[in-house]
Amino acid sequence: MDELIAEAEVVDVSGWDFSWLDGRATEERPPWRYQRLMGERIDRARMALDIQTGGGEVLAGVPQRAAAAMVATESWPPNVARAQENLRGKGVVVVADEDQPPLPFADGTFDLVTSRHPVQAYWDEIARVLAPGGTYFSQQVGPDSGHEIYDFFLGPQPLGKSGREPGVARQQAERAGLEVVDLRLAELKMEFFDIGAMVYFLRKVIWFVPHFTVKRYRDHLAALHEQILRDGSFVAYSRRFLIEVRKPAQHARPPFEPRAVAVSDVLNGGVVGPVDGGTSTGWRD
């Protein structure tokens, strides 16, 4: 146990790449294949924005690119640096943003906004930066996702009031004047096969057990280690929902003509890198 924990304590947990868990933990993937669907929409977009991009891994894995310009935002400094590395040379401007309203973009700038697992969706801001007829496409963490994990470490927590219910997202989107065109929910099995995998996961996904440290939860980790040895794995269930909304097309935009797009066309002030993916200020499918 000590060796597994010691190994997991020193692994780099920046970015949003979970490949260190290969062979040590698994999670079923949603049936809709978000990254593929995201790429299809980017391929049709003129101006695209990815909010809370993490380390840019999902966006970097999409081969398609918007016709005019692509921008990504991220708040956590280690992830900003990782996103710049992953997206440099892929035509994406990375903007350091605090993930709090307002977004640093002009009204009606983007015909596509995407976000995978946002901490919170600010629907009024999404509606504001979308162009008429524009689309917001997102995979989000669903209600009580992985509650078996935080119940183990924190004790039983109340269920059903997480604020992440798909119906809540629908209501908030509609209040912002957006039309919901797709909404799906999936429950996905997670398995952890050794205690190191759990330590790595809790260091990386910090909201599951706030202020997690090995020292603070040593007794819980020892009990979980024994449970994994006895049962073969620790099982939890994540929940994800897919939501796609559209901003009503009050005014049709003129036909698009390809041209070079300056960053000043995209951003409200600030110094960022060029559209070709220079530096900026500042788990799976």
Side-chain angles (χ1 to χ4, degrees), residues 32 34 37 137-139 182-184 240-244:
W32 47 74
Y34 172 77
L37 297 177
F137 184 71
S138 177
Q139 177 177 295
D182 195 4
L183 185 59
R184 314 180 213 173
R240 301 287 182 264
F241 68 89
L242 184 78
I243 185 167
E244 184 170 18

Side-chain angles (χ1 to χ4, degrees), residues 5 15 33 35 76 80 90 107 120 129 135 142 149-150 158 172 229 249 282:
I5 290 177
R33 298 181 63 190
Q35 191 176 51
W76 194 38
V80 173
K90 293 182 178 292
D107 297 1
Q120 182 173 348
V129 301
T135 294
I149 298 172
Y150 53 77
Q172 293 175 342
L229 290 180

Side-chain angles (χ1 to χ4, degrees), residues 39-98:
E40 292 174 358
R41 284 153 180 77
I42 288 175
D43 194 44
R44 300 193 295 265
R46 309 169 193 172
M47 305 280 284
L49 167 66
D50 191 46
I51 300 174
Q52 299 179 31
T53 197
E57 293 88 354
V58 175
L59 186 56
V62 174
Q64 300 91 337
R65 288 292 173 260
M70 291 190 63
V71 183
T73 67
E74 176 55 31
S75 62
W76 194 38
N79 276 351
V80 173
R82 181 65 60 87
Q84 289 172 339
E85 294 174 5
N86 287 330
L87 298 173
R88 182 174 290 118
K90 293 182 178 292
V92 181
V93 175
V94 178
V95 179
D97 178 67
E98 295 182 354

Side-chain angles (χ1 to χ4, degrees), residues 3-274:
E3 291 177 359
L4 291 168
I5 290 177
E7 179 187 12
E9 277 193 289
V10 298
V11 176
D12 180 16
V13 293
S14 62
W16 212 238
D17 176 9
F18 286 78
S19 60
W20 189 82
L21 291 176
D22 289 351
R24 310 181 75 152
T26 61
E27 181 184 26
E28 291 179 327
R29 295 191 174 191
W32 47 74
R33 298 181 63 190
Y34 172 77
Q35 191 176 51
R36 176 180 60 82
L37 297 177
M38 177 187 181
E40 292 174 358
R41 284 153 180 77
I42 288 175
D43 194 44
R44 300 193 295 265
R46 309 169 193 172
M47 305 280 284
L49 167 66
D50 191 46
I51 300 174
Q52 299 179 31
T53 197
E57 293 88 354
V58 175
L59 186 56
V62 174
Q64 300 91 337
R65 288 292 173 260
M70 291 190 63
V71 183
T73 67
E74 176 55 31
S75 62
W76 194 38
N79 276 351
V80 173
R82 181 65 60 87
Q84 289 172 339
E85 294 174 5
N86 287 330
L87 298 173
R88 182 174 290 118
K90 293 182 178 292
V92 181
V93 175
V94 178
V95 179
D97 178 67
E98 295 182 354
D99 289 342
Q100 296 287 333
L103 287 166
F105 308 109
D107 297 1
T109 299
F110 301 97
D111 53 308
L112 176 66
V113 177
T114 59
S115 188
R116 180 182 178 276
H117 301 178
V119 177
Q120 182 173 348
Y122 295 102
W123 292 101
D124 288 338
E125 278 299 287
I126 292 166
R128 181 183 66 80
V129 301
L130 275 175
T135 294
Y136 174 69
F137 184 71
S138 177
Q139 177 177 295
Q140 302 196 11
V141 176
D144 305 314
S145 183
H147 73 85
E148 298 87 353
I149 298 172
Y150 53 77
D151 283 355
F152 187 94
F153 286 91
L154 303 175
Q157 304 294 306
L159 301 178
K161 297 181 179 180
S162 65
R164 293 188 172 276
E165 291 74 20
V168 172
R170 176 188 290 276
Q171 292 172 359
Q172 293 175 342
E174 290 175 344
R175 279 201 296 267
L178 301 169
E179 300 172 348
V180 178
V181 298
D182 195 4
L183 185 59
R184 314 180 213 173
L185 176 67
E187 183 174 86
L188 311 164
K189 185 178 182 181
M190 306 168 66
E191 283 192 273
F192 296 83
F193 300 108
D194 69 59
I195 195 63
M198 181 62 76
V199 170
Y200 174 87
F201 180 82
L202 294 178
R203 290 182 60 226
K204 195 176 188 75
V205 191
I206 58 176
W207 51 88
F208 264 86
V209 181
H211 312 297
F212 170 82
T213 65
V214 168
K215 181 178 180 180
R216 176 175 295 178
Y217 288 97
R218 186 79 185 188
D219 291 343
H220 293 79
L221 293 170
L224 183 57
H225 175 67
E226 294 300 323
Q227 180 175 326
I228 292 174
L229 290 180
R230 182 184 69 245
D231 300 338
S233 67
F234 177 83
V235 177
Y237 292 90
S238 64
R239 292 167 183 83
R240 301 287 182 264
F241 68 89
L242 184 78
I243 185 167
E244 184 170 18
V245 305
R246 185 173 296 120
K247 184 173 181 177
Q250 298 103 336
H251 304 286
R253 301 182 73 181
F256 172 68
E257 296 181 4
R259 62 183 180 87
V261 178
V263 170
S264 59
D265 291 335
V266 181
L267 305 175
N268 275 337
V271 179
V272 299

